[in-house]
Amino acid sequence: MIMEYISSAKNDHIKAAKKLTVKKYQKQAGAYLLEGWHLVQEAINAGQQPRRIYATEKFLNERELKPFYDQTTEISPDVAKHLAETETPQGIFAVLPLEEDKLSEPLSGQYLLLDAIQDPGNVGTLVRTADAAGVKTVVFGGGTADPFNPKVLRAMQGSQFHVKIVSTPLPRLVENLKKAGIPVYGSELNDAAKPYREVAPSDQFALIVGNEGNGMSQDLLAATDQNLYIPIKGRAESLNVAIAAAVILFHLTA
């Protein structure tokens, strides 16, 4: 069987694939486009089933792609440039089903909650940080960049396949976490906040991190069990949200 070859960006399949970088069309198709060899490998290794793989010639003999020969289409370098969201595309893309996890019941374990984190790089780094710290669930609250945004996908570097990602309103979730006996920590320097080291590590907690410019919403700050801060010894006014989350998460999961 000869593999299909596409050399024109005007091909209907390519036009449809290109749309899968936009949230509106992702929802309509129930799929999204993943770019880059490392991310495609991570998806395959995590058991994802690509609906279609578009690859330039240099990837066609890769061992991981052999089980997906029937789902693979060869594309020209020009088509790869058209599909790519990056400056220097590697030349491989996968169309994956749009699947968002739901929170497991009963609520239990460790959670990172993102409150209106808008920068895709920060969002992706926060997911990677949670993955590295062993936190299994990251919740995207209102105002947070979409998990299937191409920039977020790249910044997550495959960690989205290692942790559960859920999009849900945070106020109700915080209420439910507290009912389940899981302490909920905010991250902000205020009169009632504690230095993060004063809270003992635990296998049950939720940490909320807030918007890059405005911090956590006042409603969430008021709903937490305790708000934590990182004492700053130098003259910097604050830490990047992903750095701050890393410091606190690695302490809480120690």
Side-chain angles (χ1 to χ4, degrees):
M1 183 177 175
I2 298 174
M3 182 179 290
E4 182 184 7
Y5 177 75
I6 297 177
S7 60
S8 171
K10 295 180 180 178
N11 179 281
D12 287 343
H13 293 293
I14 299 304
K15 288 195 283 189
K18 181 69 175 176
K19 286 182 176 180
L20 297 181
T21 60
V22 179
K23 186 174 182 178
K24 170 185 171 183
Y25 296 110
Q26 289 173 341
K27 295 285 187 187
Q28 288 176 3
Y32 68 99
L33 190 69
L34 190 69
E35 176 184 348
W37 179 228
H38 171 65
L39 296 186
V40 172
Q41 282 179 302
E42 288 285 347
I44 290 171
N45 291 338
Q48 295 279 312
Q49 293 295 314
R51 294 184 183 178
R52 176 63 48 188
I53 293 171
Y54 296 101
T56 53
E57 183 181 13
K58 69 177 181 177
F59 291 102
L60 297 182
N61 291 320
E62 293 290 349
R63 178 177 53 82
E64 290 96 330
L65 295 188
K66 294 199 182 300
F68 304 100
Y69 183 89
D70 291 344
Q71 289 89 26
T72 301
T73 298
E74 183 183 353
I75 56 174
S76 67
D78 285 344
V79 170
K81 284 181 183 176
H82 175 74
L83 283 179
E85 295 284 317
T86 56
E87 292 281 332
T88 53
Q90 294 177 16
I92 185 164
F93 308 82
V95 176
L96 294 176
L98 190 69
E99 296 173 350
E100 286 194 59
D101 271 315
K102 294 183 179 178
L103 287 167
S104 302
E105 299 283 351
L107 295 172
S108 178
Q110 301 168 329
Y111 302 82
L112 177 63
L113 280 49
L114 311 184
D115 178 26
I117 308 292
Q118 296 174 336
D119 180 82
N122 282 338
V123 172
T125 303
L126 283 159
V127 172
R128 289 175 66 193
T129 299
D131 182 15
V135 173
K136 298 299 185 189
T137 306
V138 181
V139 181
F140 285 50
T144 296
D146 188 80
F148 301 102
N149 173 300
K151 290 180 180 177
V152 174
L153 290 169
R154 286 200 301 278
M156 289 191 290
Q157 283 294 301
S159 282
Q160 65 267 38
F161 303 119
H162 311 153
V163 301
K164 185 189 294 285
I165 290 178
V166 180
S167 295
T168 195
L170 296 188
R172 183 179 297 173
L173 173 59
V174 167
E175 193 177 309
N176 291 336
L177 286 164
K178 290 168 75 174
K179 283 179 183 174
I182 297 171
V184 178
Y185 302 121
S187 52
E188 180 168 287
L189 175 57
N190 58 45
D191 291 342
K194 276 186 179 181
Y196 75 98
R197 287 186 181 276
E198 291 186 11
V199 175
S202 172
D203 58 3
Q204 300 274 337
F205 70 83
L207 174 67
I208 309 173
V209 291
N211 176 269
E212 292 90 342
N214 301 318
M216 285 173 54
S217 73
Q218 292 303 309
D219 288 350
L220 287 174
L221 280 171
T224 58
D225 292 296
Q226 182 66 58
N227 294 319
L228 309 178
Y229 72 92
I230 300 168
I232 292 177
K233 296 180 179 180
R235 296 173 62 184
E237 286 186 9
S238 62
L239 290 171
N240 169 275
V241 63
I243 297 291
V247 171
I248 298 173
L249 280 182
F250 274 91
H251 170 70
L252 291 176
T253 58

